[in-house]
Amino acid sequence: MVASGTRQIRPAPVDGFPTPTSDLQTTTENILKARFEYVKASPNDFTADGPVLHRNAHLQFLLRNLIQGFPARYRSQDASQPWLFFWTLQGFSVLGVGMDESTRKRTIETILALQHPFGGFAGGPGQFPHLLPTYASVCALAIVGHPGENGAWDQIDRKKMYNFFMSLKQSDGSFLVSHHAEVDVRGIYCLLAVATMLDILTPELLTGTPEFIASCQTYEGGFGSASFPDWALSNDGSVKDVSAPRPPLGEAHGGYTFCATASWVLLQPYIQTYYPARSLSAPCIDIHGLLRWVTHMQGSAIELGGFKGRTNKLVDGCYSWWVGGCVVLVEGLLGIEKHSGGKEGREGEDSNEHAWGDVDDSLFNREALQEYVLIAGQHAAGGLIDKPPKPADAYHTLYCLSGLSAAQHRVVPIDERKAELLSAWVDAPSDRTKDEATSRLRKRAFVDMLSWVEEEGTVVYVGGAANRLNATHPLLNLTATHVEAMMAHFYGQKTPMRGAGTSA
Amino acid sequence: MSYIEEDEESGPPLYCERPEWADVTPIPQYEGVSSPIAPIFYTPDYKDATDYFRGIVKTGETSERVLELTEDIIRMNPAHYSAWQYRYRTLLALNAPLDAELRLMDDFAVNNLKTYQVWHHRRLLITHLTVSTPGAKPTADPLDTAQAELEFIVHVLDVDTKNYHTWSYRQWLLAHFDDSALWLGELPYVDELLQADVRNNSAWHHRYFVVFGRGSKAQATPAEEAEVLQREIRYVKGKISFAPNNISAWNYLRGILEYSKTPFSSQAVFAESYTVRRAPWDDEDVVDLDNPKPSTDADLPSVSAMDFLAEAYAREGGDSITKAVDLWKALANQHDTMRKKYWEFRIKESLETKSG
Ligand SMILES: [Zn+2]
């Protein structure tokens, strides 16, 4: 199927009033239009089925990086080494390629060298621990590791990691990304993803974090990098005025919006467990404004349906994941809102009825996004890119592929799967030593995360099934196999086969 | 930058060649890992400096030469957050003059705009320089320092008017020092930027931050607040009139109405004239200053205007929902087909709300 057959290619209207922003936009539209025409006329790139994914070229690109290493210009990534590993390994996973035993072993050894004696992982050996490399390291270990000696999973020091997390905590509910470093929602996403996977969530860790995330939403609906806390705090750092403004720092941005939205979803087990119990009113975000913002980031037909990272900026392949992949998270939140009867008491709404009906299909254009990645996102020499004529890099390679995957597969919270997981759940011995709420928190965190599965009969492959990629978890960007295995290990659970049903 | 260029003979001597560093034991990065995966091919000077950095971190030395070493590293790789962290700790340990450090960072900021650490380091320095402790005056006058920073940032934003970190740093400065004199200067600056490029979304966000971000902190009377709101509504409508498809301006209008809980329908008359192709008032001489009409070159109908008007109708509820649905259908099927699914969702949702 080729959606481009009927495309209406219209330049973005300039209203006879060009400015630097519209000039750049026009230039980019011309580049993309030329690229589209070039690809369409090239039999290698475009067959009767549509645009071709050059799977092999990308595998070669990844393999070269993994085995031979990265050229000198990657020095700028010297403090992000685990990201290079994660982008590469997850690239292989999405392409459906596993690692051989010796590569796994080498990778495990390399990543374990980044674990800091005080907990958490660093961007490189001898560097300081930081939330971002911690997420990348744990995700990379989810792919190559396993339980037991030398499997890396049991060599992750969860106690120290928890202490490291707590040492970064700020009184407004946010976290520094590292000591003496900045606060931003990327770090919080990384922390929440890791704490959920490793079963180290506690209420003390999460106090105030939902309020912080909510404060980062801007008037546009997306999220900025952080918010300004001090007006709400007294000198000793305690919260003195919950009603004081905590304005967002920086405009709505695709990367931060993904991180904040995913954080919001990851915080739901905590919000649902602790706010009612403490009779606290849960903070809210404007989900409808967020939905409008993420869907409006999708570029028009002349931009080949790629996603932008900010209003009036240019489309870029990496936002295929950060924003395209975020839409399904917002859909999930709409579902949660529906079940709990909405937040702001919109008119005519009643908690007993399904006010909005099921969100039964994606709210963005899945075909168009696939076209963007396939047509504009592939580099002739292998690897994927922001847009032509940019060079390929490890980062864009993963996020273009993940975005393409998110447009092919619809991975959503499925009630039947949730029921299966709940029914198979066994309280761990450690739960007996914890209070009831903490046990509920970990059970919810486990079940909610693994309830995201592919909805049957909803795949869409632009260019045909030969372009198929593996599905990836919308909250973690790992395949279901890797998430299930790692979480089952840390939570001491056996995950039931899908379709196993619920035992009576 | 190629490998060859970076490896020119004329460079300064390596740390391992300098006698004054002979007492430090360099630590190679993957000690004990036989064959690390996915290695980066470092240039000799970078490898040398970071080996010595690991050596210094291990002994915990904080001395003058650590400043030289960390500067070297962050010049080669401004994203090396550990070098920044260690440098900051060393500056404090040495009681080094932080204003000199700030000046050293000026050029650095302009050349490394996109690095988080550059801006965060400034924030640490500025905070430290202007903090008043009991019984001691701050090293630098807070207001003067903040003013100088704001002026410095203007030059940086000249280079890149949408730089994310620079903008969030500017917003932090305003909130942190929170002085009316500082806030007052911002509006003319934002206006200048919007004159230069009305589609600069960073400037619109900054405008919102400046006008509404302080909220109750601004301590305006209700009458003053109402006046500010009217001023902003007039301003943004004027900007919309000569670029009606500029979504940044429409988002601002929506944002300030939402903030002040003003019904969208209060601007329905204004928006309506942007939702039709041929303007019936073309022949009219009447000028409505409250509701400026689209410029003659405008590409109408404006998708953003249709989106706005539909929202206004939908929120009115009742019979107006039909009018919202008509607009959403036109968006879904004709004017904004990329977002067909979204517009159809809005239709479905509003009809269910209506019948529910
Ligand atoms: Zn990008």
Side-chain angles (χ1 to χ4, degrees):
Chain A
M1 68 175 290
V2 187
S4 46
T6 54
R7 63 178 52 240
Q8 295 172 289
I9 297 195
R10 273 194 306 237
V14 178
D15 295 317
F17 192 80
T19 64
T21 296
S22 64
D23 290 346
L24 197 57
Q25 172 68 21
T26 305
T27 308
T28 304
E29 288 174 1
N30 290 335
I31 289 170
L32 292 171
K33 203 162 152 241
R35 174 77 190 161
F36 175 68
E37 276 152 19
Y38 170 84
V39 167
K40 227 175 156 194
S42 153
N44 275 339
D45 298 322
F46 209 98
T47 69
D49 290 331
V52 175
L53 176 67
H54 295 295
R55 189 182 289 276
N56 210 32
H58 306 320
L59 280 174
Q60 291 308 320
F61 176 83
L62 293 172
L63 209 56
R64 211 163 47 235
N65 291 340
L66 190 71
I67 303 304
Q68 290 174 22
F70 289 92
R73 67 184 166 88
Y74 276 85
R75 173 167 82 189
S76 60
Q77 307 290 323
D78 183 38
S80 310
Q81 293 179 43
W83 286 103
L84 295 176
F85 308 147
F86 171 64
W87 296 332
T88 306
L89 296 170
Q90 178 59 4
F92 281 117
S93 302
V94 173
L95 284 164
V97 173
M99 295 289 115
D100 64 273
E101 198 45 49
S102 95
T103 308
R104 284 167 175 263
K105 237 182 113 212
R106 276 176 67 196
T107 310
I108 287 170
E109 260 185 65
T110 311
I111 296 175
L112 285 179
L114 310 179
Q115 185 164 218
H116 196 273
F118 298 154
F121 287 78
Q127 300 180 22
F128 302 144
H130 189 295
L131 291 177
L132 273 63
T134 297
Y135 160 87
S137 297
V138 170
C139 287
L141 291 178
I143 300 169
V144 295
H146 53 82
E149 214 184 327
N150 304 325
W153 291 0
D154 294 322
Q155 282 80 59
I156 299 173
D157 194 328
R158 291 148 74 220
K159 181 87 196 98
K160 281 185 180 163
M161 187 177 297
Y162 180 82
N163 293 340
F164 168 61
F165 286 174
M166 284 305 291
S167 74
L168 301 171
K169 184 151 179 119
Q170 305 295 296
S171 47
D172 66 341
S174 67
F175 293 84
L176 305 176
V177 295
S178 181
H179 294 138
H180 294 301
E182 70 276 8
V183 162
D184 80 40
V185 295
R186 294 169 318 156
I188 293 174
Y189 162 69
C190 289
L191 179 148
L192 292 170
V194 168
T196 305
M197 280 190 281
L198 301 186
D199 188 18
I200 53 174
L201 289 172
T202 66
E204 58 166 355
L205 183 68
L206 304 180
T207 308
T209 308
E211 286 80 359
F212 172 77
I213 294 290
S215 72
C216 300
Q217 190 170 25
T218 83
Y219 68 91
E220 290 196 276
F223 288 77
S225 64
S227 65
F228 182 78
D230 294 357
W231 295 333
L233 306 177
S234 49
N235 286 337
D236 64 0
S238 60
V239 177
K240 66 159 194 251
D241 181 5
V242 286
S243 68
R246 288 160 72 169
L249 302 171
E251 75 201 91
H253 180 287
Y256 297 121
T257 300
F258 175 89
C259 290
T261 307
S263 295
W264 193 252
V265 176
L266 291 167
L267 283 164
Q268 290 306 309
Y270 168 67
I271 292 173
Q272 287 162 16
T273 306
Y274 285 91
Y275 281 76
R278 294 173 182 170
S279 311
L280 290 169
S281 64
C284 46
I285 62 168
D286 175 5
I287 297 169
H288 286 78
L290 174 59
L291 176 66
R292 176 176 175 273
W293 188 84
V294 289
T295 53
H296 276 76
M297 287 299 111
Q298 188 160 26
S300 66
I302 199 167
E303 294 162 289
L304 305 174
F307 275 83
K308 304 163 195 255
R310 297 189 236 169
T311 303
N312 270 336
K313 292 269 282 180
L314 303 172
V315 290
D316 172 346
C318 65
Y319 296 117
S320 307
W321 172 258
W322 299 124
V323 189
C326 188
V327 178
V328 78
L329 299 178
V330 184
E331 292 169 19
L333 288 170
L334 283 167
I336 290 166
E337 184 186 42
K338 183 185 71 185
H339 286 305
S340 65
K343 45 163 192 92
E344 283 174 339
R346 285 197 163 207
E347 256 177 78
E349 191 174 89
D350 184 319
S351 59
N352 294 323
E353 57 188 304
H354 284 199
W356 288 302
D358 290 309
V359 181
D360 53 12
D361 201 357
S362 281
L363 297 178
F364 72 104
N365 190 326
R366 293 167 63 188
E367 289 85 354
L369 177 57
Q370 293 185 47
E371 287 190 4
Y372 181 86
V373 175
L374 293 168
I375 293 169
Q378 300 190 82
H379 196 281
L384 292 98
I385 63 172
D386 162 353
K387 68 176 85 55
K390 298 266 170 75
D393 60 57
Y395 164 86
H396 284 94
T397 298
L398 177 63
Y399 292 109
C400 283
L401 288 175
S402 302
L404 177 58
S405 164
Q408 290 179 345
H409 304 276
R410 209 171 136 64
V411 180
V412 292
I414 301 272
D415 287 341
E416 295 76 52
R417 183 62 183 156
K418 189 167 185 173
E420 284 169 5
L421 290 158
L422 280 170
S423 142
W425 174 267
V426 278
D427 282 326
S430 67
D431 279 350
R432 277 176 231 125
T433 59
K434 289 176 181 163
D435 62 291
E436 200 214 335
T438 313
S439 311
R440 265 213 312 277
L441 173 63
R442 61 187 295 272
K443 181 171 171 180
R444 273 192 169 127
F446 178 82
V447 169
D448 282 8
M449 182 72 93
L450 298 186
S451 301
W452 289 81
V453 285
E454 181 156 12
E455 195 171 50
E456 280 165 42
T458 56
V459 288
V460 175
Y461 300 123
V462 169
N467 287 348
R468 180 187 182 281
L469 296 174
N470 274 337
T472 185
H473 196 298
L475 285 166
L476 300 170
N477 200 5
L478 288 169
T479 61
T481 319
H482 294 141
V483 179
E484 283 198 9
M486 190 181 231
M487 287 186 67
H489 175 66
F490 285 113
Y491 284 76
Q493 303 294 316
K494 276 207 185 82
T495 49
M497 290 282 288
R498 195 171 167 197
T502 53
S503 56
Chain B
M1 226 187 287
S2 77
Y3 184 84
I4 306 291
E5 276 169 353
E6 286 171 12
D7 193 21
E8 276 175 53
E9 300 262 326
S10 57
L14 300 176
Y15 288 90
C16 64
E17 297 162 351
R18 295 167 61 179
E20 70 271 30
W21 286 83
D23 60 312
V24 178
T25 312
I27 302 178
Q29 109 160 317
Y30 282 101
E31 242 186 352
V33 179
S34 49
S35 75
I37 204 82
I40 299 172
F41 289 94
Y42 302 107
T43 53
D45 52 348
Y46 186 76
K47 185 180 172 302
D48 172 64
T50 50
D51 285 353
Y52 276 79
F53 177 68
R54 276 181 288 271
I56 288 289
V57 168
K58 188 162 188 196
T59 59
E61 175 181 328
T62 49
S63 65
E64 204 64 45
R65 68 178 178 182
V66 172
L67 296 179
E68 186 197 342
L69 176 66
T70 51
E71 183 183 340
D72 232 17
I73 293 175
I74 59 184
R75 281 191 189 280
M76 288 189 276
N77 175 16
H80 199 301
Y81 64 87
S82 304
W84 284 101
Q85 249 176 66
Y86 204 78
R87 179 179 183 81
Y88 182 65
R89 274 196 248 156
T90 306
L91 285 165
L92 296 189
L94 292 174
N95 221 347
L98 297 185
D99 44 348
E101 174 75 0
L102 197 59
R103 296 289 77 85
L104 177 71
M105 288 300 137
D106 284 356
D107 287 349
F108 207 81
V110 182
N111 295 323
N112 298 285
L113 281 181
K114 297 206 168 167
T115 310
Y116 283 86
Q117 286 77 18
V118 174
W119 296 102
H120 186 69
H121 191 65
R122 286 192 87 85
R123 188 162 147 176
L124 292 175
L125 296 175
I126 292 282
T127 306
H128 209 274
L129 274 167
T130 57
V131 76
S132 35
T133 44
K137 275 182 135 178
T139 319
D141 176 68
L143 203 53
D144 290 349
T145 307
Q147 198 77 56
E149 275 302 275
L150 291 174
E151 276 164 33
F152 169 72
I153 296 173
V154 168
H155 297 299
V156 178
L157 289 172
D158 273 350
V159 181
D160 177 1
T161 56
K162 298 178 184 177
N163 186 275
Y164 200 93
H165 307 308
T166 317
W167 276 115
S168 34
Y169 176 56
R170 190 174 187 92
Q171 284 148 19
W172 174 82
L173 277 172
L174 290 164
H176 179 74
F177 291 99
D178 198 24
D179 188 286
S180 297
L182 297 179
W183 289 99
L184 274 177
E186 289 303 283
L187 223 42
Y189 175 52
V190 175
D191 188 40
E192 206 178 287
L193 288 172
L194 290 175
Q195 296 266 8
D197 187 349
V198 76
R199 298 180 178 91
N200 180 349
N201 199 59
S202 304
W204 282 106
H205 179 267
H206 193 61
R207 189 172 184 98
Y208 187 93
F209 185 88
V210 168
V211 179
F212 300 100
R214 280 177 98 193
S216 51
K217 288 278 294 173
Q219 293 183 324
T221 64
E224 285 165 342
E225 276 179 6
E227 199 179 305
V228 166
L229 178 68
Q230 288 315 313
R231 180 194 76 203
E232 289 307 300
I233 291 176
R234 262 197 315 277
Y235 182 85
V236 67
K237 289 202 292 193
K239 294 291 186 200
I240 287 173
S241 71
F242 50 87
N245 285 283
N246 175 16
I247 186 171
S248 292
W250 286 99
N251 283 354
Y252 185 78
L253 176 62
R254 296 170 78 109
I256 66 178
L257 295 177
E258 202 85 71
Y259 174 85
S260 58
K261 300 190 167 65
T262 311
F264 278 29
S265 54
S266 67
Q267 303 305 325
V269 171
F270 165 74
E272 202 175 1
S273 56
Y274 293 78
T275 61
V276 282
R277 210 175 284 276
R278 277 201 52 79
W281 50 85
D282 274 356
D283 307 324
E284 290 174 23
D285 293 330
V286 187
V287 177
D288 179 354
L289 285 177
D290 281 339
N291 294 302
K293 301 295 182 216
S295 64
T296 44
D297 287 339
D299 295 307
L300 298 181
S302 149
V303 164
S304 297
M306 294 171 75
D307 179 18
F308 181 93
L309 191 61
E311 193 75 58
Y313 287 144
R315 291 183 187 199
E316 257 175 37
D319 292 341
S320 295
I321 287 182
T322 322
K323 291 196 272 184
V325 168
D326 287 345
L327 282 163
W328 284 328
K329 279 186 181 158
L331 286 165
N333 300 321
Q334 192 186 351
H335 299 288
D336 191 31
T337 51
M338 186 57 76
R339 261 162 289 287
K340 190 176 173 62
K341 287 285 177 56
Y342 172 71
W343 302 123
E344 286 173 351
F345 170 74
R346 297 302 309 270
I347 293 171
K348 195 173 151 198
E349 173 203 73
S350 72
L351 293 179
E352 280 168 12
T353 307
K354 193 183 177 189
S355 62

Coordinates of all heavy atoms in Angstrom, one line a residue, chain A residues 316-319 386 395-396, ligand 1:
Chain A
D316 N 12.5 15.9 11.8 CA 13.8 15.3 12.1 C 13.4 13.8 12.4 O 12.5 13.6 13.2 CB 14.4 16.0 13.2 CG 15.7 15.3 13.7 OD1 15.9 14.2 13.4 OD2 16.5 16.0 14.5
G317 N 14.2 12.9 11.8 CA 14.0 11.5 12.0 C 13.9 11.0 13.4 O 13.1 10.1 13.8
C318 N 14.6 11.6 14.3 CA 14.6 11.1 15.7 C 13.3 11.3 16.4 O 13.0 10.6 17.3 CB 15.8 11.6 16.5 SG 15.8 13.4 16.8
Y319 N 12.6 12.4 16.0 CA 11.3 12.6 16.6 C 10.2 11.6 16.2 O 9.1 11.6 16.7 CB 10.8 14.1 16.4 CG 11.8 15.1 17.0 CD1 12.5 16.0 16.3 CD2 12.0 15.0 18.4 CE1 13.4 16.9 16.9 CE2 12.8 15.9 19.0 CZ 13.5 16.8 18.3 OH 14.4 17.7 18.9
D386 N 18.8 12.3 10.5 CA 17.8 13.3 10.8 C 17.0 13.6 9.5 O 15.8 13.3 9.5 CB 18.6 14.6 11.2 CG 17.9 15.9 11.2 OD1 16.8 16.0 10.7 OD2 18.5 16.9 11.7
Y395 N 22.7 7.5 17.1 CA 21.5 8.0 17.8 C 20.3 8.0 16.8 O 19.2 7.4 17.0 CB 21.8 9.4 18.3 CG 20.5 10.2 18.7 CD1 20.0 10.1 19.9 CD2 20.0 11.1 17.8 CE1 18.9 10.9 20.3 CE2 18.9 11.9 18.1 CZ 18.4 11.8 19.4 OH 17.3 12.6 19.7
H396 N 20.5 8.6 15.6 CA 19.4 8.7 14.6 C 19.1 7.3 14.1 O 17.9 7.0 13.7 CB 19.7 9.7 13.5 CG 19.5 11.1 14.0 ND1 20.6 11.9 14.4 CD2 18.4 11.9 14.1 CE1 20.1 13.1 14.8 NE2 18.8 13.1 14.6
Ligands
ZN1 ZN 17.4 14.4 15.5

